[in-house]
Amino acid sequence: MGKQRRFQIWKLPIHTQILVAMVLGALFGLAFPVNRQAIIVKTPVEEAEIAAWQEAEIWMPAQDSILFRTSSRSELIRFFRKLSFEQRQQIVLRFRVPTDGQREYHPVVALKVPSSIAADLKPIGTLFLNLLKMIAIPLVLGTLIVGAASLGDLRKVARIGTKTIGFYLVTTAVAITIGLVVANVMEPGKTLSPELSRQLRETFREDVVAKVQQKADFNVLDFFVNIVPTNPFEAIASGDMLNIVFFAVFFGLVLTALPKEKAQPMIHFFDSLGTAMIKMVEVVMLIAPFGVFALIAAVVASFGFDILQTLIWYVLAVVLGLLLHAVVFYPLLLKTLARFPIRKFFKEVERAQLLAFSTSSSAATLPVSMRVAERLGIPSSIYSFVLPLGATINMDGTALYQGIAAVFIAQVYGIPLDLSAQLTIVFIATMASIGTAPVPGVGIIMLIIVLQSVGIPEEGIALILGVDRILDMLRTTLNVTGDLTASVVIAASEKGLAKAA
Ligand code: ASP
């Protein structure tokens, strides 16, 4: 016992540990930032880092030379990567550096961006993320099949399903409305000067092209048709959560219609699977502080705070909207619909929130959200359905952010948005947030659909790309909080909370 104590370095509760790791990670990232201007050139004889360059010129035989500015560093690297081996042998790469004139390289073997210790920690964060994602699918499958089997009654399942989806749609629409009101009152787009707007558009031009290409054509009808998997094993293998939810609920319900001796072994099997996965979450959470430290350090190191200052009003508008939704709307729902103690809710949910913030992924946070739901006293038959569904389709934070971003971009471009345009945003952003995959950075891709629906130029996302990572962290936190709020409310409405709350 005494021996064990000596090794207990971490006596703080796990969420405090994660919080400390987050702060330390941010400081570490600030101390070792990635130089976002420098470039590393590798030739057969040397590897040189060019720190401050103004222009780079690529000269190729029998062609006009191509000029790149510092702001288009990624364009330069992408251009180089597309060159064939022979072309790389022939090119001359010339940099204009203010301090010591010109530097010339020929031939060029590789071009890359410099890293920093903080950014190099990223694999530790990715490892932690992978561990969580590894657990998510078997956990959902196990708990949901047992959950559906214990509900048994088809009418009860249909009732909970309808309530959950209804709740998700209403809270999402409220989130966008809050976003629109905040954006219309604060008018963050009017604070951006035309000069800054031009600079941002130039810097992120290439990234916009990449995002627009990624844009999935979201079709509502297809979305519903595709909820039914043609092959459940394929759905499990590819981690398609909606498909898995459908199959697991169906499977669990059918089990209740079988003779007991046939159904029991299956139920026991999936029950053990779910319980083992929950145990796995606990084990993985032991390394959460290290994973979170690495994730935050890498983000802060590669994230330019200068852009944050440029877009401060936009960022503040999103933060204010998210806060209003989290500290006014959810508590209101918890109090009125569930009579659930707000303090207890936020104390337990904090763990999932911290993880959502540091991973920017509702899917990766799902195993921890399920653990939190258990601690809140929600029956597994309810949370095992409400949470995976919520992680996939309920994104209040993303929807709220899409509302603000759309108005912000319209304001910068001077496009007036009348009431009907804003109502269109409410509808389309609700659909777009449903279609947003619960992984980092998808919200901004789905934003393109919202922009197109009201005629705002999609290139406008260039204005906000630079701060999207930090806002992704914040909106994911709200997404996860929304799912947990729903679990409490649905459980209370089914009288499932009485014992534990
Ligand atoms: N990262 C978000 C989530 O996982 C989705 C997004 O808005 O990009 O919930």
Side-chain angles (χ1 to χ4, degrees):
M1 192 61 189
K3 201 173 175 195
Q4 235 176 13
R5 280 242 172 98
R6 232 178 294 144
F7 285 100
Q8 268 184 353
I9 308 163
W10 302 89
K11 289 213 177 118
L12 302 167
I14 187 76
H15 52 269
T16 315
Q17 287 180 32
I18 298 178
L19 201 64
V20 172
M22 243 155 90
V23 175
L24 293 180
L27 291 175
F28 194 73
L30 278 177
F32 300 100
V34 168
N35 185 335
R36 288 181 313 117
Q37 203 181 10
I39 197 160
I40 296 176
V41 186
K42 210 171 154 200
T43 68
V45 287
E46 63 167 332
E47 185 170 303
E49 180 168 332
I50 300 143
W53 55 281
Q54 277 179 333
E55 275 175 1
E57 192 180 2
I58 290 193
W59 181 88
M60 293 205 278
Q63 279 189 36
D64 288 340
S65 63
I66 308 162
L67 203 66
F68 296 89
R69 297 225 171 81
T70 329
S71 59
S72 36
R73 182 182 70 171
S74 42
E75 238 169 290
L76 168 63
I77 292 174
R78 253 189 294 254
F79 179 86
F80 176 80
R81 290 200 177 136
K82 282 194 202 133
L83 297 179
S84 66
F85 179 72
E86 285 76 29
Q87 284 171 319
R88 289 178 188 192
Q89 297 293 308
Q90 292 168 344
I91 63 164
V92 178
L93 177 58
R94 223 175 268 140
F95 286 96
R96 207 149 64 74
V97 184
T99 43
D100 56 359
Q102 285 213 59
R103 296 220 213 147
E104 205 172 277
Y105 298 92
H106 164 80
V108 181
V109 181
L111 264 193
K112 52 188 185 188
V113 290
S115 191
S116 79
I117 322 179
D120 288 342
L121 287 179
K122 205 174 168 193
I124 300 177
T126 311
L127 188 82
F128 171 61
L129 268 181
N130 288 353
L131 281 166
L132 287 173
K133 289 188 199 156
M134 172 186 83
I135 300 171
I137 305 294
L139 173 62
V140 169
L141 197 70
T143 47
L144 194 48
I145 288 175
V146 178
S150 65
L151 285 179
D153 182 354
L154 190 61
R155 266 175 312 181
K156 198 168 170 193
V157 175
R159 194 178 63 229
I160 294 181
T162 318
K163 262 197 267 189
T164 308
I165 292 172
F167 185 89
Y168 283 159
L169 287 177
V170 172
T171 52
T172 304
V174 171
I176 308 166
T177 312
I178 292 181
L180 290 177
V181 170
V182 169
N184 281 300
V185 172
M186 281 182 67
E187 300 195 316
K190 304 225 165 126
T191 58
L192 197 70
S193 73
E195 171 57 13
L196 275 177
S197 154
R198 192 192 55 75
Q199 267 177 24
L200 288 169
R201 269 180 277 174
E202 197 171 297
T203 310
F204 292 100
R205 200 178 39 221
E206 273 284 311
D207 299 294
V208 172
V209 174
K211 296 267 179 226
V212 171
Q213 275 166 359
Q214 276 179 47
K215 186 201 86 175
D217 274 321
F218 182 64
N219 179 317
V220 181
L221 203 62
D222 283 353
F223 179 80
F224 285 110
V225 171
N226 291 333
I227 287 179
V228 182
T230 47
N231 178 350
F233 297 102
E234 192 184 310
I236 292 168
S238 60
D240 190 321
M241 201 56 92
L242 278 185
N243 280 182
I244 297 170
V245 168
F246 181 85
F247 177 75
V249 171
F250 199 176
F251 187 78
L253 283 177
V254 164
L255 283 181
T256 59
L258 296 185
K260 209 165 176 215
E261 72 276 13
K262 296 267 182 227
Q264 275 313 322
M266 270 293 166
I267 295 178
H268 280 149
F269 171 77
F270 283 109
D271 193 24
S272 296
L273 178 69
T275 316
M277 289 302 128
I278 293 230
K279 191 77 205 157
M280 243 187 207
V281 177
E282 276 171 38
V283 178
V284 170
M285 284 305 278
L286 293 177
I287 63 152
F290 301 100
V292 165
F293 177 89
L295 285 169
I296 299 282
V299 171
V300 172
S302 33
F303 179 75
F305 278 95
D306 40 341
I307 300 188
L308 196 70
Q309 278 164 20
T310 316
L311 292 172
I312 195 73
W313 285 108
Y314 162 69
V315 173
L316 283 180
V318 176
V319 171
L320 179 68
L322 295 173
L323 268 179
L324 282 176
H325 202 71
V327 302
V328 179
F329 185 57
Y330 289 150
L332 202 72
L333 294 179
L334 289 166
K335 263 271 162 272
T336 54
L337 300 179
R339 300 191 187 289
F340 196 85
I342 311 292
R343 257 168 184 270
K344 179 180 160 83
F345 177 80
F346 281 102
K347 189 168 165 275
E348 291 297 340
V349 164
E350 191 187 357
R351 188 182 300 198
Q353 285 177 324
L354 290 172
L355 214 60
F357 182 81
S358 36
T359 61
S360 288
S361 167
S362 304
T365 312
L366 183 59
V368 176
S369 305
M370 289 173 104
R371 185 81 188 87
V372 167
E374 197 150 275
R375 291 169 67 103
L376 286 170
I378 300 166
S380 72
S381 57
I382 291 185
Y383 76 68
S384 63
F385 173 72
V386 177
L387 288 178
L389 190 69
T392 326
I393 68 163
N394 181 46
M395 303 210 178
D396 293 359
T398 300
L400 190 148
Y401 141 88
Q402 286 173 341
I404 296 186
V407 175
F408 172 76
I409 296 171
Q411 283 168 354
V412 175
Y413 281 87
I415 301 170
L417 293 174
D418 58 12
L419 190 63
S420 81
Q422 308 231 8
L423 287 176
T424 309
I425 294 180
V426 174
F427 179 71
I428 302 289
T430 305
M431 293 299 136
S433 71
I434 289 176
T436 302
V439 288
V442 184
I444 196 160
I445 298 174
M446 298 305 274
L447 172 66
I448 296 171
I449 297 176
V450 179
L451 298 181
Q452 284 171 342
S453 72
V454 282
I456 304 170
E458 61 207 25
E459 307 85 70
I461 63 167
L463 301 170
I464 55 171
L465 256 170
V467 288
D468 199 61
R469 190 64 176 83
I470 181 96
L471 295 184
D472 193 3
M473 296 158 94
L474 293 167
R475 64 188 188 238
T476 309
T477 309
L478 192 76
N479 290 347
V480 168
T481 313
D483 301 339
L484 282 159
T485 306
S487 312
V488 172
V489 171
I490 306 290
S493 75
E494 290 290 317
K495 311 272 177 283
L497 268 176
K499 283 165 278 135

